[in-house]
Amino acid sequence: MTEEHPEIRYYIDANADVNDLLKQVSEGKLKFTMADSVELSLSQRIYLT
């Protein structure tokens, strides 16, 4: 991906908690994250926008 889109920067944190990441997206602290669809579905009930 980096070769095709060098303007996109990303960081992989193997220790990150998916709920914390989804909360940060909800609060506007992160533009996006990648999450399992089940985790996302559960979190949508908590972090409604």
Side-chain angles (χ1 to χ4, degrees), residues 18-44:
V18 67
N19 292 316
D20 290 340
L21 293 172
L22 292 170
K23 182 178 180 183
Q24 289 179 46
V25 170
S26 175
E27 295 171 342
K29 294 178 182 176
L30 292 176
K31 291 184 180 183
F32 63 90
T33 190
M34 295 181 73
D36 178 90
S37 61
V38 174
E39 292 283 350
L40 177 60
S41 178
L42 293 170
S43 294
Q44 283 177 326

